[in-house]
Amino acid sequence: MNCDHIGWTEEGHFRYLDQTRLPQEEKFCEARTVEDVIEAMQTLRVRGAPLIGISAAMGLTSAARTLADGAFTRDWFEGAVDRIGAARPTAINLHWALERMRDAYESAARAGGDGAALIAALHQEAQNIWDEDAAMCLAIGEAGARLIPDGATVMTHCNAGALATGGIGTALAPVYELHKQKRRVQVISNETRPLRQGSRLTAWELAKAGIPVTSIVDGAAGAMMAQGKVDLVITGADRIAANGDTANKIGTYGVAVLARAHGIPFYVAAPCSTFDLAVTSGETIPIELRSPEEIDAAPGAVGYNPAFDVTPAEYIAALITDRGIIEPPYTERISQLIPKGASSSG
Ligand code: MRU
């Protein structure tokens, strides 16, 4: 799948495919204000860690462009960065992208640019972030494809495919790479309760690309492993700590524990922008709590709805990154391979 789910309108506004409507309907929306960008992120119309970062950058540019002459001030810019940065707490790519936008603004301001020059600098940096993400996805695909035996069945959780990035995805990138090489590969896509990113989005994009995909409910993952139907697991990540602990969609931890119990390798695929070297372990990664209304709790019951969980590094067979494969022990190897400047804590 090409990255045709985001783009710029002719006037330079951020245009995106509304992922809440998939698979029933392919509806595109535009974000023209800071409020539009925040709403799109919080409702998961745009979602997935890398895409959250790209959407923040493109949406910020769009919002600056919408302002009346004279309203695009430094105060407005700093407020907009802070407000968009608070939209979702777990994916570190959001802060990584906004830091880059802040740097782009500062360099253009130092060069004495007027409002139009500042907006042009923001547009260029947002485009760079998108282009670099697409290149990182390709590199993850090439590195990860080497870990997958011919004819293998890959289980994945949530959606870490093209829809979650500006390219061919992270967890699904090795699958797309194998498909491109005309090698046999198939995917088991876990439903991913409560918002069903696996059954709605992963299954949709793989089927569209002609890759065999089987959708299962989350509770079937263990049985599929016990029956020998899973060769390996690859998931994406929202934030990877300096020791390799990884936050990803709720349910990922359970899948990792099941994989360990069945002797199946569990891999995490992510670009440099998902590493947060300032966080030493998963314990301090902020976990988004979403509305209990998303889960069908009976009236009178308390609904508790954490959107992410942390998989301890000891369950992860390797990290598949755009800089290559990182095997345990992680702390030293992550610090060697992921340069501070390229990660989110740079
Ligand atoms: O709540 P979401 O849909 O944004 O959660 C997405 C995930 O958990 C993905 O697995 C993760 O962001 C990696 S996307 C390449």
Side-chain angles (χ1 to χ4, degrees):
M1 178 175 170
N2 294 321
C3 183
D4 50 9
H5 59 97
I6 50 169
W8 300 103
T9 65
E10 272 177 26
E11 304 87 52
H13 289 293
F14 175 45
R15 182 173 182 271
Y16 62 88
L17 177 63
D18 179 351
Q19 298 193 22
T20 62
R21 308 291 273 258
L22 291 174
Q24 281 80 14
E25 188 190 9
E26 292 181 45
K27 179 177 183 276
F28 280 84
C29 303
E30 277 178 40
R32 287 175 171 258
T33 64
V34 169
E35 290 70 32
D36 290 347
V37 182
I38 293 171
E39 194 269 350
M41 285 183 190
Q42 291 184 334
T43 53
L44 274 54
R45 295 187 206 287
V46 288
R47 44 142 304 278
L51 187 65
I52 290 171
I54 297 165
S55 302
M58 293 176 75
L60 178 63
T61 307
S62 208
R65 197 165 258 138
T66 300
L67 294 173
D69 278 349
F72 181 25
T73 60
R74 175 178 289 275
D75 276 358
W76 177 87
F77 180 77
E78 282 169 4
V81 166
D82 288 349
R83 282 189 293 150
I84 295 174
R88 295 195 72 191
T90 305
I92 192 65
N93 307 61
L94 174 57
H95 300 285
W96 173 82
L98 288 172
E99 263 323 299
R100 286 193 42 169
M101 295 300 279
R102 213 193 288 269
D103 290 348
Y105 177 95
E106 290 304 339
S107 333
R110 269 197 307 276
D114 59 6
L118 291 172
I119 289 171
L122 293 180
H123 185 106
Q124 186 56 54
E125 189 60 359
Q127 185 62 48
N128 293 345
I129 289 169
W130 178 7
D131 292 345
E132 287 168 33
D133 185 67
M136 290 193 284
C137 290
L138 286 174
I140 289 169
E142 281 165 23
R146 290 183 220 119
L147 297 171
I148 305 180
D150 191 45
T153 300
V154 180
M155 177 177 278
T156 192
H157 193 76
C158 196
N159 173 265
L163 284 170
T165 67
I168 60 166
T170 58
L172 297 189
V175 171
Y176 284 119
E177 173 62 25
L178 289 174
H179 185 67
K180 193 177 83 186
Q181 295 172 12
K182 305 216 175 329
R183 284 166 58 198
R184 292 174 312 131
V185 62
Q186 54 190 339
V187 174
I188 293 177
S189 170
N190 297 347
E191 180 185 19
T192 318
R193 287 280 297 154
L195 298 179
R196 300 186 299 113
Q197 289 92 332
S199 54
R200 291 189 306 105
L201 308 179
T202 297
W204 179 80
E205 68 166 81
L206 288 173
K208 201 171 167 190
I211 297 172
V213 54
T214 303
S215 252
I216 62 167
V217 296
D218 296 331
M224 300 295 278
M225 292 184 190
Q227 290 163 18
K229 291 182 176 156
V230 181
D231 296 301
L232 66 151
V233 180
I234 313 181
T235 73
D238 282 79
R239 195 184 295 219
I240 302 176
N243 70 346
D245 290 353
T246 294
N248 193 50
K249 180 52 57 191
I250 192 75
T252 303
Y253 172 45
V255 175
V257 174
L258 282 169
R260 167 63 55 84
H262 292 91
I264 295 167
F266 176 92
Y267 298 109
V268 170
C272 286
S273 49
T274 302
F275 285 78
D276 184 355
L277 303 185
V279 161
T280 51
S281 82
E283 272 169 51
T284 47
I285 296 177
I287 300 293
E288 178 181 2
L289 269 186
R290 292 185 61 86
S291 166
E293 282 172 16
E294 289 178 350
I295 52 180
D296 293 329
V302 175
Y304 178 62
N305 187 18
F308 299 94
D309 59 26
V310 173
T311 299
E314 66 191 270
Y315 289 98
I316 302 170
L319 300 167
I320 307 168
T321 79
D322 53 294
R323 308 272 162 146
I325 305 291
I326 309 180
E327 286 176 339
Y330 288 119
T331 307
E332 203 186 317
R333 292 181 180 174
I334 288 175
S335 69
Q336 280 164 359
L337 207 66
I338 306 294
K340 277 232 179 234
S343 68
S344 291
S345 43

